[in-house]
Amino acid sequence: MSNNKTHWENIYKNNNFKNVSWFQEKPTTISFIDNLNLSKDCKIIDVGAGASYLGKTLIDKGYKNITINDISALSIEISQSHNIHNLKKVSFLIGDITNLKLPKNYFNLWHDRAVFHFLTEKEKREKYINQIRKSLLIHGYIIISVFSLDGPKKCSSLTIKQYDETTLSSELGECFKLINFSYSNHLTPSNKKQNFITCCFKLIKK
Ligand SMILES: C[S@@+](CC[C@H](N)C(=O)[O-])C[C@H]1O[C@@H](n2cnc3c(N)ncnc32)[C@H](O)[C@@H]1O
């Protein structure tokens, strides 16, 4: 068991999922997905989904093919309980997204809220970006939401890397075209403000 996995298993073991700082009763990045007007048959992966309600929200909107990933098996159990009546429409993938075996040329949309910013090592970020390039269909979309330059320097007591739209675009590289972005303040369950930047990219070449 890697240290990173142990950290996250302990988070979900020792806390109610609704009390963790990143919890949202209504996932705000859904507005980025709504704006894309994707077909309800499209394939969406939420990486590092934790116990988020995003998958359930998408199913409630009519999407039929959702993949929920997390490094923590416990968080996936919670996520399964959110989606208990729709298990045919949801696949669960436990593992580190930087080295998990993913289907090739499969997803239409890759969604990440508060995961990419934990990748403080360049090598890990390169692996993550390669995973997108392999598993996403050409002209597919990527939504990444991370702490902004005005946001916290740590998340879940771990050091993170902050971004703005320029640094996130240059990190992803020339295969990805920035479509739109916005800044927002997330209010944690203990009423602290955390500034996020959410960017939507399109995969324009492989
Ligand atoms: C800050 S939480 C965000 C959870 C969720 N995306 C949300 O917005 O509610 C980060 C999540 O990423 C997961 N995680 C961290 N590193 C990961 C990795 N390398 N691969 C997959 N999941 C990871 C953690 O277990 C945790 O659930």
Side-chain angles (χ1 to χ4, degrees):
M1 215 191 243
S2 77
N3 286 340
N4 193 30
K5 180 170 168 63
T6 308
H7 170 85
W8 290 108
E9 292 296 11
N10 285 334
I11 289 290
Y12 290 104
K13 189 166 105 191
N14 299 328
N15 299 279
N16 181 303
F17 76 91
K18 290 198 174 194
N19 291 337
V20 294
S21 59
W22 52 92
F23 176 72
Q24 292 187 303
E25 195 69 50
K26 291 189 178 165
T28 47
T29 49
I30 196 78
S31 62
F32 275 80
I33 302 180
D34 288 343
N35 284 344
L36 293 173
N37 279 320
L38 298 169
S39 144
K40 295 294 189 274
D41 296 320
C42 77
K43 300 179 178 85
I44 302 177
I45 182 166
D46 188 15
V47 305
S52 160
Y53 285 135
L54 185 84
K56 182 182 173 349
T57 308
L58 289 168
I59 295 289
D60 291 346
K61 281 178 176 273
Y63 291 93
K64 301 181 182 79
N65 205 326
I66 311 295
T67 301
I68 292 180
N69 154 258
D70 204 277
I71 200 167
S72 153
L74 265 179
S75 80
I76 291 287
E77 275 180 30
I78 303 168
S79 197
Q80 283 169 334
S81 70
H82 298 337
N83 292 287
I84 196 78
H85 301 300
N86 289 295
L87 294 178
K88 281 193 185 146
K89 296 176 186 169
V90 190
S91 309
F92 297 93
L93 272 182
I94 301 169
D96 180 341
I97 194 60
T98 63
N99 59 28
L100 199 58
K101 197 168 180 347
L102 295 174
K104 283 196 185 135
N105 297 315
Y106 182 77
F107 298 110
N108 302 89
L109 171 65
W110 176 286
H111 176 276
D112 167 340
R113 176 172 175 270
V115 186
F116 187 70
H117 64 196
F118 289 110
L119 305 180
T120 52
E121 293 165 31
K122 188 155 183 57
E123 195 193 327
K124 280 267 181 185
R125 293 197 294 277
E126 284 172 359
K127 282 187 171 179
Y128 175 105
I129 294 161
N130 276 335
Q131 290 282 63
I132 306 180
R133 289 190 13 204
K134 275 193 226 151
S135 64
L136 199 69
L137 284 159
I138 190 78
H139 300 143
Y141 294 96
I142 305 100
I143 294 170
I144 300 190
S145 192
V146 283
F147 283 167
S148 79
L149 302 182
D150 293 328
K153 292 187 171 24
K154 288 196 169 194
C155 182
S156 187
S157 340
L158 301 173
T159 301
I160 58 93
K161 188 167 159 48
Q162 301 169 318
Y163 291 94
D164 62 16
E165 63 280 15
T166 309
T167 51
L168 191 55
S169 301
S170 73
E171 194 69 61
L172 287 193
E174 59 176 16
C175 296
F176 300 87
K177 185 180 176 207
L178 182 64
I179 306 287
N180 62 334
F181 66 91
S182 73
Y183 286 86
S184 57
N185 279 321
H186 164 63
L187 207 55
T188 71
S190 58
N191 275 330
K192 290 198 181 103
K193 264 189 203 165
Q194 298 185 326
N195 197 254
F196 275 77
I197 176 165
T198 305
C199 293
C200 180
F201 298 91
K202 188 169 188 166
L203 182 63
I204 53 169
K205 57 181 174 177
K206 287 253 184 183

